[in-house]
Amino acid sequence: MTKTPTACFIIIGDEILSGRTLEKNLPVLTDLLNKQGIRLTEARIIPDKKDQIIQTTIECSHKFDEVFTSGGIGPTHDDITSASISEALNLPLERHEPTFELLKRNSPNKQCNQMKEKMAWFPKGSTPIENNCNAPPGFSIKNIHVMAGVPAIFKSMVKWLIPQLSKGTPLHSFAWHSFNLSESNFAKDLQTLQENFPNAELGSYPFRNGDKEGVTLVSKGNNLDAVKTAASMFPNIIRKHGGTPHEGDFQS
């Protein structure tokens, strides 16, 4: 059986923790990882503080097969992710010349000031993570992948990166939803179904949008047969409680 690689996402930024900036990168990363067969099992949000970035990087790089970070690789004084990860790995920072040339080409008068040049310095031995947003790349070093926090740039980087990583068994997911029912209607049935299908991960998720409310039942996992068979039981469970089954997630 193909091993399922594990992953952690480290979201770096005071602006995320303060609520000033809404975190939008997690769903993008998760979707691509699921298709690649890599299971994201943990996500952390930490501030732009060197000691915490170093500690978290060391811990996660030993605990997970792949570690992804977002944020803190820009030109400003508080963009310290690259230097912190370099220190965490006990590697020197060095200027990546192709990235430096890219920065110069995209700068007025083809000049690159000292703060902008900062974005071309990676830990020694890093491989650039490309993007198509006409911006400097992120970088990979060992099992750590360092990317921008800006959603459009992050998405471009991660779409280039993920297909190049080791592939596991894709995560399969099937859903049915119904209106005007609550989770308590399904609790006992889902418990019994879960006992019968231990290789599927079953869950119920309430939704509400205006005057529409109900519950979505989800079956997911790496074992396609188990996941699909368990999900095929959902329509009858919904009908049992007087609901009308609708295939898929509720779309607001």
Side-chain angles (χ1 to χ4, degrees):
M1 180 179 293
T2 303
K3 176 182 180 291
T4 301
T6 61
C8 178
F9 186 25
I10 306 172
I11 302 158
I12 302 169
D14 294 337
E15 70 279 10
I16 302 293
L17 287 168
S18 70
R20 182 178 181 84
T21 299
L22 183 65
E23 207 296 308
K24 297 181 179 180
N25 295 323
L26 180 59
V28 174
L29 176 63
T30 303
D31 180 59
L32 290 168
L33 289 178
N34 287 343
K35 293 173 182 175
Q36 188 72 6
I38 300 173
R39 180 65 71 94
L40 185 73
T41 57
E42 193 169 313
R44 305 185 186 187
I45 304 176
I46 63 173
D48 294 295
K49 296 192 182 304
K50 184 178 77 169
D51 290 347
Q52 198 158 347
I53 296 172
I54 291 172
Q55 178 184 346
T56 305
T57 299
I58 292 172
E59 178 186 345
C60 293
S61 64
H62 286 91
K63 184 178 179 182
F64 301 95
D65 295 307
E66 307 288 353
V67 177
F68 304 88
T69 80
S70 68
I73 61 171
T76 62
H77 71 281
D78 58 348
D79 287 314
I80 60 171
T81 298
S82 299
S84 299
I85 289 177
S86 179
E87 188 169 336
L89 299 176
N90 197 27
L91 292 170
L93 278 174
E94 63 178 15
R95 193 171 75 183
H96 185 255
E97 293 304 322
T99 298
F100 181 56
E101 292 301 319
L102 172 66
L103 290 170
K104 288 199 296 183
R105 287 198 302 272
N106 293 337
S107 300
N109 302 319
K110 308 302 179 184
Q111 298 296 317
C112 187
N113 63 39
Q114 184 178 10
M115 296 306 290
K116 193 168 186 178
E117 180 187 336
K118 177 182 175 182
M119 295 187 288
W121 286 77
F122 304 152
K124 185 176 182 178
S126 296
T127 301
I129 299 173
E130 297 182 12
N131 72 84
N132 60 11
C133 292
N134 203 29
F139 63 86
S140 294
I141 180 70
K142 299 187 177 181
N143 65 333
I144 304 164
H145 313 286
V146 181
M147 292 170 284
V150 177
I153 301 176
F154 178 89
K155 184 175 183 179
S156 178
M157 288 181 175
V158 80
K159 285 178 70 175
W160 180 88
L161 171 68
I162 298 299
Q164 303 186 55
L165 301 179
S166 297
K167 194 167 187 176
T169 304
L171 183 72
H172 306 285
S173 180
F174 299 91
W176 288 81
H177 69 274
S178 181
F179 299 102
N180 302 319
L181 291 172
S182 66
E183 284 189 287
S184 60
N185 293 118
F186 304 113
K188 184 62 178 177
D189 294 294
L190 281 186
Q191 180 180 352
T192 301
L193 194 61
Q194 183 68 84
E195 292 169 355
N196 292 333
F197 291 92
N199 291 325
E201 300 171 29
L202 308 181
S204 60
Y205 305 94
F207 60 80
R208 183 167 188 169
N209 188 342
D211 61 348
K212 293 183 178 181
E213 60 180 33
V215 177
T216 300
L217 304 182
V218 176
S219 175
K220 65 180 181 180
N222 300 111
N223 187 316
L224 178 59
D225 289 340
V227 170
K228 195 171 184 178
T229 303
S232 71
M233 308 293 181
F234 289 161
N236 285 338
I237 291 175
I238 291 171
R239 293 189 189 99
K240 172 183 173 181
H241 296 284
T244 300
H246 301 274
E247 190 170 6
D249 288 294
F250 170 69
Q251 302 295 324
S252 59

